[in-house]
Amino acid sequence: MEASPTEERVTGRSIAKATRRAALLEAAATLFAERGYNGVSIEDLGAAAGVSGPAVYRHFAGKPSVLSALLTGVSEDLLDGGRVVAGAAASPDEALKGLIRFQVEFAVSHADVIRVQDRDLGALAADDQRGVRSLQRSYVQVWVDELAAYRPDTDPSLLRRKVHAVFGLINSTPHTTHRPSSARELALFRDLLEEMAWAALTV
Amino acid sequence: MEASPTEERVTGRSIAKATRRAALLEAAATLFAERGYNGVSIEDLGAAAGVSGPAVYRHFAGKPSVLSALLTGVSEDLLDGGRVVAGAAASPDEALKGLIRFQVEFAVSHADVIRVQDRDLGALAADDQRGVRSLQRSYVQVWVDELAAYRPDTDPSLLRRKVHAVFGLINSTPHTTHRPSSARELALFRDLLEEMAWAALTV
DNA sequence: GTTTCAGGTTAGTGGTCATTAACCAGGAAG
DNA sequence: CTTCCTGGTTAATGACCACTAACCTGAAAC
């Protein structure tokens, strides 16, 4: 017995494949963010990853699968990151500040996926959409739990709305036309978003 | 000399035409918000307005013109409304509160156009896009002017970022899955958004 | 060194869709 | 009452595009 089917041999080819797949997802993030899922052709997508057209089908079952992989990935990253951040915090208010910092960092450095997520989620097939929405819900819940601990005796549905609104604030980044240029500018911008988010959240 | 070319006779037909056009724009708002500009066919659009397919071309030059009319309209409404609100206020802080109230009201009652605006603006031809962006910039400027009066000695570009972030917060409404049901709920929700927006803006 | 087979490639293929053509009906104008 | 012409209609037409077929090449496996 050499290797179980799940155990993959690491060969030059498998590396190349993984690399190509990653390049495709990267290209998808950029292109979908720019023109929207329906505005990008498989041909465009392949081309942006240095491969042409139908080669994409060697990595994904179809165009919807690309979107699905992209959005599922980002939702998982957010949920995992959020749980780690919240778990490491010493108090609810530290947790909330950490979550804000984490979300701001994510939104600023992954503006494209954020944009795709709230623009093209509806283009997903019902099943995948359910999956992504479930991950999103869990992530929101991480916030709501901390907020509930920080602000007891508040209607949970109100808390959920607060969290959504704060996401709107933080995720407004991708819509911003004038992106900060220097690193200094960017740091100030992140601080601003964090302060505003905190103020809004603790109203 | 009967009538100048700009002066239109009001006839049964002209009324019917205006009505149909309005119905088409209404349908466009709903459908584009739901499936995105590229996800809606001219056929769908016509059907939603009780007319089929190519009849749309009797009212608009093409699909892009529909989007253009829709977005230009909303941008104008916002700018006009914003100017009235700001002009009627007795002080900068009253003006800001009025602007917030106005924007919240607009976002809540026109969630669909808001969604189309920040989702499909990029689908517009360069010229129309410029026009809409110019209107948006002016609207933002109305806010920035008041904010500058309320908070002197602050970098204007920072103020602009603040305003953008607050728009993100307020305009998060369309992304909210659980829409408030009762009128009471809705009023509470509007109040919440207003409070959060004010807190964020005055950080 | 040969055999496999995964990951590419270039031609279809069928469907969808924006836009145009050709035609029709009925209100407005005279 | 007749003439126009506008807002509709249904049938092309031509792009574009997702996906499939058929074929090729070179790394892995033996």
Side-chain angles (χ1 to χ4, degrees):
Chain A
M1 296 299 102
E2 268 293 351
S4 78
T6 52
E7 226 179 292
E8 303 255 331
R9 286 188 56 69
V10 178
T11 145
R13 244 160 134 142
S14 72
I15 290 174
K17 175 152 190 174
T19 306
R20 188 51 49 86
R21 187 188 150 97
L24 282 167
L25 283 175
E26 174 75 19
T30 308
L31 291 178
F32 290 169
E34 209 166 273
R35 299 183 234 154
Y37 175 75
N38 280 318
V40 177
S41 74
I42 288 274
E43 183 64 37
D44 295 338
L45 190 52
V51 94
S52 263
V56 175
Y57 292 88
R58 300 296 177 185
H59 301 271
F60 297 95
K63 206 184 163 192
S65 301
V66 179
L67 183 60
S68 177
L70 188 64
L71 295 191
T72 304
V74 49
S75 295
E76 283 169 352
D77 290 351
L78 280 174
L79 177 55
D80 293 350
R83 278 180 173 155
V84 167
V85 167
S91 64
D93 89 284
E94 284 301 320
L96 289 172
K97 281 174 183 155
L99 286 171
I100 288 174
R101 176 180 299 274
F102 171 67
Q103 179 72 27
V104 166
E105 171 60 27
F106 196 97
V108 163
S109 52
H110 299 82
D112 47 7
V113 263
I114 290 288
R115 182 155 174 77
V116 175
Q117 178 143 35
D118 62 37
R119 176 192 208 167
D120 289 315
L121 178 56
L124 233 45
D127 314 352
D128 301 313
Q129 207 172 131
R130 240 192 313 283
V132 172
R133 276 195 209 280
S134 165
L135 288 167
Q136 288 179 337
R137 217 174 359 255
S138 300
Y139 180 56
V140 170
Q141 196 56 44
V142 172
W143 284 64
V144 169
D145 288 345
E146 298 301 333
L147 195 53
Y150 181 72
R151 280 280 151 97
D153 62 290
T154 311
D155 174 17
S157 85
L158 191 75
L159 296 183
R160 208 165 320 119
R161 285 193 178 131
K162 267 192 176 181
V163 171
H164 273 293
V166 168
F167 283 173
L169 187 157
I170 297 175
N171 293 345
S172 65
T173 313
H175 304 297
T176 301
T177 29
H178 297 294
R179 207 59 72 78
S181 40
S182 66
R184 174 110 195 90
E185 284 259 325
L186 193 96
L188 282 176
F189 182 50
R190 279 201 305 238
D191 287 349
L192 175 68
L193 285 179
E194 288 175 28
E195 281 175 49
M196 292 179 75
W198 178 255
L201 200 57
T202 57
V203 140
Chain B
M1 297 295 102
E2 268 293 352
S4 79
T6 52
E7 227 178 293
E8 302 255 331
R9 285 189 55 69
V10 178
T11 145
R13 242 155 136 152
S14 72
I15 291 173
K17 175 152 191 175
T19 306
R20 188 51 50 85
R21 188 189 150 96
L24 282 168
L25 283 175
E26 175 75 18
T30 308
L31 291 178
F32 290 169
E34 209 166 273
R35 299 183 234 153
Y37 176 74
N38 281 318
V40 176
S41 74
I42 288 273
E43 183 64 38
D44 294 339
L45 190 53
V51 92
S52 263
V56 174
Y57 291 87
R58 300 297 176 185
H59 301 271
F60 297 95
K63 205 185 165 193
S65 302
V66 179
L67 183 61
S68 178
L70 187 64
L71 294 191
T72 304
V74 50
S75 294
E76 283 170 352
D77 289 350
L78 280 174
L79 177 56
D80 293 349
R83 278 181 172 154
V84 167
V85 166
S91 65
D93 89 283
E94 285 301 321
L96 288 173
K97 281 173 184 157
L99 286 171
I100 288 173
R101 176 181 300 274
F102 171 67
Q103 179 72 27
V104 167
E105 171 60 27
F106 196 97
V108 164
S109 52
H110 299 83
D112 47 8
V113 263
I114 290 287
R115 182 156 174 76
V116 175
Q117 178 143 32
D118 62 36
R119 176 194 208 164
D120 290 316
L121 177 57
L124 234 44
D127 313 350
D128 301 313
Q129 207 172 130
R130 240 192 313 282
V132 172
R133 275 195 210 280
S134 164
L135 289 167
Q136 287 180 338
R137 217 173 0 254
S138 300
Y139 180 56
V140 170
Q141 197 55 45
V142 172
W143 284 64
V144 169
D145 288 345
E146 298 300 333
L147 195 53
Y150 181 72
R151 280 280 151 97
D153 62 290
T154 311
D155 174 17
S157 85
L158 191 76
L159 296 183
R160 208 165 322 119
R161 285 193 178 131
K162 266 192 176 181
V163 171
H164 273 293
V166 168
F167 283 173
L169 188 157
I170 297 175
N171 293 345
S172 65
T173 313
H175 304 295
T176 302
T177 28
H178 298 294
R179 205 60 71 78
S181 40
S182 66
R184 175 109 194 92
E185 283 260 325
L186 192 96
L188 282 175
F189 182 49
R190 279 200 304 239
D191 287 351
L192 174 68
L193 284 179
E194 287 176 29
E195 281 175 49
M196 292 179 75
W198 178 255
L201 199 56
T202 58
V203 140

